[in-house]
Amino acid sequence: MEIRNKLELRNISKIFLTRKSYSVAIQQVDLEVRENEFLVLLGPGQCGKTVLLNIVAGLLEQTTGEICIDGAPYSGLNNQIGFIFQSIGIMPWLTVRDNVAIGPKFAGKNKKERYEIAQKNIDLVRLTGFEKHFPRQLSGGMKQRVGIARAYANNPEILLMDEPFGQLDAQTRYAMQDEILRIWNENKRTVIFVTNNIEEAVYLGDRIVLFSSRPMQVKGVYDLTSLERPRDYTDEDFLEIRQKISDNMDLVLE
Amino acid sequence: MKGRKRKDILLNLLPLVSILLFILAWLVVSGGESSLIPTPTAVFERYLKLLEKPISKTSIPGHIWASLKRVLLGLLYGSVFGISFGLLIGWNKTCNRIFKPLFELIRPIPALAWIPLMTLWLGIGETSKVALVFLGTIMPITVNTYTGVRLIPKINIDAARVFGANNVQIITDIVLPSSLSAIIAGVKTALGTAWMVVLAAEMISAKTGLGFMIIRGTDVLDLPLVIFAMILIGVIGACISSLLTIVERKLCPWKSEIN
């Protein structure tokens, strides 16, 4: 069976100019993302994964290369793409409901319509009952649930997740990993998930793309579709693939 | 539980106690025929006399309203201008480059320094007083709005853009609410400046207003009148300030404490 490529990155490079010099953040990265797969981008800290994700989202412009959705090249912001941020970035002055409904609001939908969409997605991330709470009344994990619901409310075909659980404590992080898989299973989307945590990558990904340290290049692609979900951190196959990736991963002393 | 309740009552009584103690201290240091500090009773009697014989045929509420009108009008114009201007130089780089240096040069000039020019240009009527209050209030409001805009986390702007906000929506839905509490703090500061400016303006030329009451009291060495006017200013200022706090709570519900 031929699996369609949802998103293609061809020869993407990013060079940042500084006052006297320049630095290469991303060096000729090619990437194919299949429709509805859970793709994990794994790389050491500060390697440029976030830069790459920002380029795909249209928040940054690449220096070279092109990005295609369904085979058609595009540039700039794109309403088919949703984003879940590491620092969450939900609006502190809006209630949970208004935060989730922000995409529909910007799209000009009326109140009734956007609250219906919001409610559906609040239920999806299991925040029912917290619609009128403000973000500061929520825990870190709940805040990121709002971030997930907000991304889903815009009904994107591609979801970018930039270390979404990086700011959570270990316990909440494990719980949220299961949650994101559950939500993805209920609402299949093409997901690109960025992390620097090997265990998280192996637990979540259909495929893992391993990157080198800066300048960022593809070091290897691992297909994990044979590893059945729900995965077990102590399973033999799990540990084996984990070790394989670990041996190949650059060490960065920060 | 019971002990806690008793403590709460005591805590609520404390403000009252401190005001009473202040009046008591006033009683102790005041008095005597030639004293430079009139007694509270003298001030109260002066108030009763004011009811019978108003100054320049204007009642006490009339004087209050005269000053208050100048303060509020100036503050209104100052807010409209200051908030728009602050947003402009906070958000738009080109406008920032053009107007910020000019603003920084004009900012240190106290509003009171404008009195001669304003009087010459706009006369000694209401217009020049409102204009002076306007000049005094735009500075804190502009500075606070500007700072508020500058402090908006980039992530909120990025998120809004990713989820489809156009440039107008970024201003109305992100920039404004995000800097709202800084703006309100600016308006509060501006209120103090507004009273200062209006009194100074009234002391120079006016036939009504609380500043005029003070200058009349000074001219005829009627110290109880001066102190009475000062008390009025204090009470009204405190009332408006707490009114603004209520407005802030209504406008920024995300800031208020969890109940």
Side-chain angles (χ1 to χ4, degrees):
Chain A
M1 190 180 78
E2 178 76 19
I3 302 172
R4 218 155 63 91
N5 280 338
K6 183 72 196 168
L7 185 78
E8 280 166 357
L9 275 64
R10 295 192 194 120
N11 193 28
I12 295 288
S13 295
K14 177 73 187 174
I15 297 168
F16 286 108
L17 295 175
T18 55
R19 202 174 286 256
K20 282 191 180 142
S21 169
Y22 65 91
S23 81
V24 182
I26 301 171
Q27 197 171 339
Q28 295 171 324
V29 165
D30 289 290
L31 208 64
E32 289 173 353
V33 190
R34 294 169 191 159
E35 184 153 39
N36 290 344
E37 83 167 330
F38 201 113
L39 182 76
V40 174
L41 307 186
L42 176 66
Q46 305 295 319
C47 80
K49 307 178 296 278
T50 297
V51 175
L52 185 67
L53 222 51
N54 279 327
I55 289 172
V56 175
L59 287 169
L60 279 176
E61 210 180 326
Q62 66 267 32
T63 312
T64 67
E66 75 176 356
I67 306 171
C68 301
I69 293 183
D70 297 326
Y74 79 96
S75 65
L77 296 155
N78 192 313
N79 59 10
Q80 292 177 61
I81 293 177
F83 207 119
I84 299 171
F85 297 89
Q86 178 178 16
S87 46
I88 301 172
I90 54 176
M91 317 302 171
W93 60 90
L94 294 179
T95 58
V96 167
R97 185 164 63 176
D98 284 321
N99 260 302
V100 174
I102 204 163
K105 181 170 189 214
F106 289 147
K109 292 206 161 66
N110 68 38
K111 208 166 196 167
K112 187 170 166 280
E113 230 177 323
R114 55 181 202 253
Y115 279 179
E116 264 172 32
I117 297 170
Q119 193 60 51
K120 208 181 85 197
N121 290 287
I122 289 168
D123 295 343
L124 176 71
V125 298
R126 298 193 173 148
L127 276 179
T128 316
F130 290 95
E131 290 83 357
K132 287 179 181 164
H133 281 59
F134 285 109
R136 63 185 213 96
Q137 295 167 290
L138 305 176
S139 68
M142 288 161 91
K143 277 185 200 153
Q144 194 53 291
R145 281 171 197 261
V146 178
I148 295 166
R150 173 175 69 175
Y152 264 96
N154 231 15
N155 202 20
E157 293 174 24
I158 299 166
L159 264 173
L160 310 179
M161 309 187 183
D162 183 16
E163 297 188 42
F165 311 138
Q167 292 195 338
L168 306 179
D169 61 83
Q171 221 42 43
T172 315
R173 192 173 182 142
Y174 286 130
M176 288 302 286
Q177 285 167 5
D178 288 328
E179 275 297 280
I180 203 75
L181 285 179
R182 175 186 66 79
I183 293 166
W184 174 67
N185 267 318
E186 281 178 35
N187 272 280
K188 274 283 163 72
R189 294 286 191 280
T190 306
V191 169
I192 305 179
F193 186 104
V194 160
T195 183
N196 56 20
N197 183 320
I198 302 175
E199 192 181 48
E200 185 170 72
V202 178
Y203 189 72
L204 294 174
D206 283 329
R207 287 191 309 144
I208 297 174
V209 179
L210 178 66
F211 289 105
S212 67
S213 59
R214 217 168 158 125
M216 191 170 101
Q217 285 171 297
V218 177
K219 274 198 101 173
V221 180
Y222 301 86
D223 197 320
L224 273 61
T225 35
S226 60
L227 212 59
E228 258 176 57
R229 290 196 178 94
R231 291 173 187 162
D232 183 351
Y233 293 108
T234 53
D235 182 75
E236 212 172 292
D237 296 338
F238 188 101
L239 291 171
E240 193 191 314
I241 187 95
R242 190 190 147 157
Q243 191 58 46
K244 217 163 88 187
I245 296 173
S246 180
D247 290 342
N248 198 14
M249 194 163 168
D250 292 350
L251 254 184
V252 175
L253 298 173
E254 281 173 73
Chain B
M1 264 319 251
K2 211 170 177 190
R4 168 108 195 250
K5 208 166 188 186
R6 191 172 296 157
K7 207 174 160 193
D8 280 355
I9 293 171
L10 261 171
L11 276 177
N12 283 329
L13 279 177
L14 276 181
L16 211 67
V17 172
S18 78
I19 290 170
L20 280 176
L21 277 177
F22 174 76
I23 294 174
L24 203 72
W26 179 10
L27 265 172
V28 172
V29 296
S30 62
E33 277 299 306
S34 59
S35 174
L36 287 175
I37 307 173
T39 59
T41 0
V43 173
F44 186 70
E45 276 163 7
R46 188 66 189 83
Y47 158 67
L48 294 178
K49 210 174 124 198
L50 261 183
L51 294 179
E52 281 169 30
K53 234 183 93 192
I55 298 176
S56 71
K57 298 190 184 90
T58 311
S59 64
I60 298 170
H63 283 292
I64 294 175
W65 178 238
S67 294
L68 199 60
K69 207 170 71 189
R70 291 162 191 152
V71 165
L72 293 182
L73 267 178
L75 191 65
L76 179 73
Y77 297 141
S79 302
V80 171
F81 181 83
I83 293 171
S84 335
F85 189 56
L87 285 176
L88 196 70
I89 59 174
W91 188 246
N92 188 299
K93 253 188 204 140
T94 317
C95 291
N96 183 299
R97 281 299 192 183
I98 297 171
F99 295 115
K100 187 89 191 307
L102 216 61
F103 177 72
E104 288 297 342
L105 276 176
I106 297 173
R107 185 157 81 114
I109 305 171
L112 301 186
W114 288 91
I115 290 182
L117 285 182
M118 285 297 141
T119 320
L120 263 172
W121 292 344
L122 302 168
I124 54 168
E126 290 303 300
T127 324
S128 69
K129 292 185 187 66
V130 173
L132 281 169
V133 174
F134 168 76
L135 281 173
T137 52
I138 52 174
M139 299 306 164
I141 295 176
T142 305
V143 170
N144 267 48
T145 308
Y146 171 78
T147 315
V149 172
R150 277 305 165 103
L151 289 178
I152 301 171
K154 190 175 173 293
I155 178 82
N156 287 345
I157 309 280
D158 276 352
R161 285 176 58 205
V162 163
F163 293 111
N166 60 35
N167 286 336
V168 177
Q169 286 167 328
I170 294 237
I171 298 284
T172 55
D173 286 55
I174 308 295
V175 176
L176 256 182
S178 187
S179 44
L180 192 57
S181 68
I183 293 174
I184 293 175
V187 173
K188 273 184 176 168
T189 316
L191 186 69
T193 321
W195 275 108
M196 197 178 74
V197 175
V198 91
L199 287 204
E202 286 173 356
M203 283 178 183
I204 286 163
S205 66
K207 288 209 167 55
T208 53
L210 297 168
F212 166 73
M213 272 170 91
I214 288 180
I215 214 67
R216 170 61 65 87
T218 316
D219 286 346
V220 296
L221 213 68
D222 186 352
L223 289 188
L225 179 65
V226 173
I227 291 185
F228 177 66
M230 285 169 72
I231 292 173
L232 281 182
I233 295 165
V235 171
I236 294 162
C239 285
I240 299 178
S241 186
S242 45
L243 208 74
L244 270 177
T245 309
I246 294 170
V247 170
E248 184 178 13
R249 238 177 255 159
K250 280 262 178 280
L251 285 179
C252 314
W254 64 91
K255 291 258 169 192
S256 63
E257 290 307 310
I258 310 161
N259 291 318

XYZ file of all heavy atoms in Angstrom, chain A residues 202-251:
416
model
N 10.717 7.318 21.653
C 10.438 5.913 21.358
C 9.034 5.544 21.815
O 8.364 4.726 21.198
C 11.495 4.999 22.024
C 11.182 3.533 21.768
C 12.895 5.339 21.517
N 8.561 6.165 22.890
C 7.228 5.857 23.405
C 6.139 6.339 22.447
O 5.117 5.685 22.267
C 7.029 6.499 24.778
C 5.762 6.052 25.469
C 5.649 4.769 26.001
C 4.676 6.910 25.585
C 4.495 4.347 26.624
C 3.511 6.499 26.206
C 3.425 5.217 26.730
O 2.278 4.794 27.348
N 6.382 7.493 21.800
C 5.319 8.127 21.031
C 5.354 7.844 19.532
O 4.313 7.677 18.908
C 5.361 9.650 21.229
C 5.048 10.187 22.624
C 5.278 11.687 22.652
C 3.614 9.870 23.025
N 6.554 7.796 18.935
C 6.637 7.947 17.484
C 6.307 6.734 16.640
O 6.595 5.596 17.011
N 5.657 6.988 15.482
C 5.573 5.978 14.434
C 6.946 5.855 13.787
O 7.405 4.773 13.472
C 4.569 6.391 13.352
C 3.149 6.187 13.803
O 2.908 5.256 14.589
O 2.275 6.969 13.381
N 7.532 7.029 13.548
C 8.900 7.079 13.044
C 9.645 8.148 13.822
O 9.055 9.109 14.324
C 8.909 7.450 11.555
C 8.433 6.315 10.646
C 8.708 6.646 9.194
N 8.195 7.955 8.836
C 8.790 8.793 7.992
N 9.931 8.453 7.417
N 8.260 9.970 7.711
N 10.948 7.969 13.928
C 11.773 8.956 14.600
C 12.832 9.446 13.627
O 13.490 8.639 12.968
C 12.469 8.372 15.847
C 11.427 7.944 16.886
C 13.440 9.386 16.458
C 12.028 7.234 18.076
N 12.953 10.765 13.512
C 14.052 11.318 12.731
C 15.065 11.878 13.717
O 14.733 12.733 14.538
C 13.567 12.445 11.790
C 14.739 13.019 11.006
C 12.507 11.913 10.844
N 16.285 11.347 13.647
C 17.321 11.778 14.585
C 18.182 12.848 13.933
O 18.641 12.689 12.800
C 18.181 10.579 15.002
C 19.339 10.902 15.960
C 18.815 11.357 17.315
C 20.257 9.686 16.129
N 18.379 13.955 14.648
C 19.195 15.046 14.120
C 20.522 15.154 14.850
O 20.640 14.770 16.020
C 18.445 16.378 14.249
C 17.279 16.492 13.310
C 15.974 16.352 13.780
C 17.478 16.737 11.968
C 14.901 16.460 12.927
C 16.403 16.842 11.098
C 15.110 16.700 11.581
N 21.509 15.711 14.142
C 22.809 15.968 14.767
C 22.717 17.264 15.564
O 21.729 17.980 15.492
C 23.864 16.125 13.679
O 23.587 17.303 12.946
N 23.790 17.578 16.296
C 23.832 18.875 16.951
C 24.124 19.935 15.886
O 24.388 19.628 14.729
C 24.906 18.882 18.041
O 26.163 18.593 17.474
N 24.061 21.188 16.298
C 24.161 22.310 15.364
C 25.452 22.296 14.552
O 26.501 22.079 15.141
C 24.107 23.599 16.199
C 23.351 24.702 15.546
C 23.130 25.789 16.575
N 22.885 27.031 15.877
C 21.808 27.768 16.087
N 20.933 27.393 16.975
N 21.641 28.877 15.444
N 25.460 22.546 13.247
C 24.285 22.753 12.403
C 23.502 21.468 12.194
O 24.080 20.408 11.975
C 24.875 23.263 11.084
C 26.263 22.747 11.057
C 26.712 22.673 12.484
N 22.207 21.585 12.237
C 21.331 20.434 12.276
C 21.262 19.708 10.933
O 20.996 20.300 9.904
C 19.937 20.911 12.683
C 18.985 19.817 13.023
S 17.506 20.513 13.770
C 16.420 20.476 12.382
N 21.554 18.398 10.980
C 21.427 17.551 9.799
C 20.749 16.258 10.207
O 20.818 15.865 11.378
C 22.810 17.216 9.230
C 23.472 18.348 8.477
C 24.903 18.008 8.136
O 25.717 17.813 9.029
N 25.201 17.940 6.855
N 20.144 15.567 9.249
C 19.506 14.292 9.566
C 20.580 13.227 9.772
O 21.457 13.055 8.932
C 18.544 13.847 8.436
C 17.939 12.487 8.761
C 17.454 14.883 8.229
N 20.526 12.535 10.919
C 21.517 11.488 11.203
C 20.967 10.105 10.956
O 21.706 9.160 10.709
C 21.978 11.575 12.667
C 23.103 12.551 12.874
C 23.793 12.294 14.193
C 25.090 11.534 14.016
N 25.847 11.423 15.260
N 19.647 9.990 11.084
C 19.065 8.677 10.867
C 17.558 8.722 11.003
O 17.012 9.602 11.664
N 16.885 7.773 10.353
C 15.426 7.672 10.474
C 15.104 6.277 10.987
O 15.642 5.287 10.484
C 14.738 7.917 9.111
C 13.226 7.796 9.259
C 15.127 9.274 8.554
N 14.271 6.170 12.009
C 13.939 4.879 12.608
C 12.451 4.614 12.459
O 11.640 5.462 12.813
C 14.321 4.867 14.095
C 15.791 5.132 14.321
C 16.256 6.442 14.411
C 16.692 4.081 14.422
C 17.609 6.698 14.599
C 18.044 4.334 14.612
C 18.493 5.640 14.699
O 19.821 5.879 14.874
N 12.115 3.465 11.908
C 10.709 3.100 11.762
C 10.291 2.244 12.946
O 10.864 1.183 13.193
C 10.500 2.347 10.448
C 9.030 2.332 10.062
O 8.194 2.157 10.977
O 8.724 2.498 8.869
N 9.306 2.725 13.703
C 8.882 2.023 14.916
C 7.480 1.437 14.782
O 6.873 1.045 15.771
C 8.899 2.996 16.112
C 10.210 3.173 16.877
C 11.303 3.706 15.992
C 10.002 4.102 18.057
N 6.957 1.425 13.537
C 5.563 0.997 13.371
C 5.345 -0.446 13.831
O 4.238 -0.818 14.188
C 5.113 1.138 11.896
O 6.233 0.849 11.056
C 4.629 2.534 11.611
N 6.433 -1.239 13.850
C 6.276 -2.630 14.291
C 6.158 -2.745 15.815
O 5.698 -3.755 16.332
C 7.473 -3.449 13.798
O 8.658 -2.906 14.331
N 6.547 -1.684 16.507
C 6.476 -1.678 17.978
C 5.039 -1.324 18.377
O 4.565 -0.215 18.134
C 7.442 -0.616 18.517
C 8.118 -0.855 19.855
C 8.940 -2.143 19.826
C 9.029 0.316 20.188
N 4.340 -2.308 18.988
C 2.917 -2.086 19.200
C 2.613 -1.155 20.364
O 3.349 -1.093 21.333
C 2.227 -3.434 19.419
C 1.494 -3.891 18.164
C 0.889 -5.255 18.351
O 0.091 -5.404 19.291
O 1.224 -6.166 17.563
N 1.519 -0.414 20.208
C 1.078 0.475 21.289
C -0.013 -0.238 22.080
O -0.778 -1.000 21.506
C 0.521 1.782 20.714
C 1.575 2.669 20.095
C 0.999 4.069 19.930
N 1.973 4.993 19.371
C 2.101 5.271 18.070
N 1.311 4.696 17.203
N 2.991 6.129 17.660
N -0.190 0.005 23.385
C 0.639 0.897 24.200
C 2.002 0.286 24.471
O 2.097 -0.907 24.774
C -0.174 1.029 25.496
C -1.019 -0.186 25.555
C -1.307 -0.563 24.144
N 3.022 1.101 24.351
C 4.374 0.587 24.503
C 4.781 0.543 25.975
O 4.238 1.267 26.803
C 5.346 1.472 23.714
C 5.126 1.304 22.215
C 5.938 2.265 21.399
N 5.534 2.140 19.986
C 5.788 3.050 19.065
N 6.451 4.144 19.389
N 5.383 2.886 17.834
N 5.751 -0.307 26.212
C 6.196 -0.517 27.589
C 7.668 -0.079 27.683
O 8.507 -0.577 26.934
C 6.045 -2.015 27.928
C 6.429 -2.299 29.367
O 6.971 -1.384 30.026
O 6.202 -3.442 29.815
N 7.937 0.817 28.619
C 9.293 1.363 28.749
C 10.338 0.290 29.051
O 11.518 0.481 28.822
C 9.350 2.401 29.872
C 8.570 3.653 29.591
C 7.374 3.924 30.251
C 9.049 4.581 28.668
C 6.658 5.075 29.993
C 8.335 5.733 28.401
C 7.143 5.974 29.075
O 6.452 7.108 28.806
N 9.874 -0.842 29.612
C 10.834 -1.864 30.030
C 10.846 -3.070 29.094
O 11.557 -4.040 29.331
C 10.503 -2.338 31.457
O 9.126 -2.730 31.478
C 10.723 -1.242 32.471
N 10.045 -2.971 28.024
C 9.991 -4.036 27.029
C 11.353 -4.190 26.338
O 12.073 -3.220 26.126
C 8.908 -3.678 26.008
C 8.749 -4.755 24.963
O 8.172 -5.794 25.305
O 9.230 -4.541 23.831
N 11.698 -5.411 25.958
C 13.025 -5.686 25.388
C 13.261 -4.920 24.083
O 14.292 -4.286 23.891
C 13.164 -7.189 25.139
C 14.588 -7.675 25.316
C 14.636 -9.194 25.258
O 14.106 -9.853 26.189
O 15.175 -9.706 24.268
N 12.268 -4.994 23.170
C 12.388 -4.293 21.889
C 12.510 -2.796 22.105
O 13.252 -2.108 21.407
C 11.160 -4.577 21.006
C 11.087 -6.052 20.637
O 12.155 -6.709 20.693
O 9.986 -6.530 20.311
N 11.736 -2.285 23.074
C 11.754 -0.866 23.396
C 13.160 -0.440 23.794
O 13.718 0.520 23.267
C 10.762 -0.585 24.544
C 10.555 0.875 24.837
C 9.426 1.530 24.362
C 11.471 1.606 25.596
C 9.226 2.874 24.631
C 11.280 2.945 25.859
C 10.153 3.587 25.379
N 13.743 -1.237 24.704
C 15.071 -0.883 25.218
C 16.133 -0.999 24.128
O 17.072 -0.212 24.073
C 15.429 -1.783 26.407
C 14.577 -1.522 27.651
C 14.840 -2.585 28.708
C 14.840 -0.132 28.207
N 15.935 -1.972 23.236
C 16.914 -2.186 22.177
C 16.966 -0.985 21.226
O 18.048 -0.451 20.931
C 16.549 -3.464 21.407
C 17.668 -3.944 20.508
C 17.184 -5.041 19.575
O 16.496 -5.973 20.050
O 17.458 -4.939 18.371
N 15.769 -0.555 20.783
C 15.729 0.567 19.848
C 16.208 1.842 20.540
O 16.901 2.681 19.972
C 14.316 0.748 19.227
C 14.321 1.825 18.122
C 13.286 1.123 20.238
C 14.498 1.243 16.773
N 15.876 1.912 21.819
C 16.301 3.066 22.594
C 17.828 3.152 22.644
O 18.429 4.206 22.476
C 15.726 2.944 24.014
C 15.916 4.193 24.828
C 15.562 3.948 26.275
N 16.443 4.802 27.065
C 16.171 5.196 28.275
N 15.070 4.810 28.865
N 17.002 5.973 28.907
N 18.426 1.986 22.850
C 19.888 1.935 22.935
C 20.521 2.288 21.594
O 21.498 3.028 21.515
C 20.323 0.519 23.371
C 21.793 0.403 23.747
C 22.161 1.350 24.876
O 21.453 1.447 25.887
N 23.250 2.093 24.726
N 19.895 1.783 20.526
C 20.416 2.015 19.181
C 20.444 3.516 18.872
O 21.427 4.056 18.348
C 19.531 1.278 18.164
C 20.295 0.693 17.009
C 19.461 -0.346 16.270
C 18.607 0.267 15.188
N 17.663 -0.685 14.562
N 19.344 4.181 19.212
C 19.265 5.624 18.949
C 20.251 6.363 19.848
O 20.969 7.265 19.413
C 17.827 6.138 19.182
C 16.882 5.494 18.180
C 17.774 7.661 19.066
C 15.420 5.787 18.424
N 20.298 5.935 21.075
C 21.162 6.591 22.059
C 22.624 6.565 21.619
O 23.351 7.553 21.756
C 20.998 5.899 23.411
O 21.806 6.513 24.362
N 23.052 5.425 21.069
C 24.443 5.297 20.618
C 24.757 6.237 19.467
O 25.900 6.642 19.263
C 24.719 3.850 20.169
C 24.728 2.893 21.339
O 24.869 3.399 22.476
O 24.566 1.673 21.129
N 23.739 6.544 18.682
C 23.931 7.353 17.490
C 23.750 8.855 17.755
O 24.004 9.684 16.898
C 22.933 6.882 16.414
C 23.321 7.347 15.028
O 24.447 7.794 14.825
N 22.398 7.246 14.101
N 23.286 9.205 18.969
C 22.913 10.589 19.249
C 24.114 11.398 19.716
O 24.930 10.934 20.497
C 21.827 10.610 20.333
C 21.131 11.939 20.473
S 19.587 11.708 21.389
C 19.137 13.392 21.742
N 24.239 12.609 19.198
C 25.344 13.483 19.616
C 25.166 13.903 21.064
O 24.064 14.169 21.523
C 25.354 14.759 18.751
C 25.741 14.431 17.319
O 26.166 13.291 17.093
O 25.600 15.321 16.466
N 26.288 13.972 21.741
C 26.251 14.466 23.112
C 26.530 15.962 23.089
O 27.476 16.421 22.457
C 27.335 13.768 23.943
C 26.858 12.709 24.924
C 28.029 12.177 25.729
C 25.778 13.252 25.839
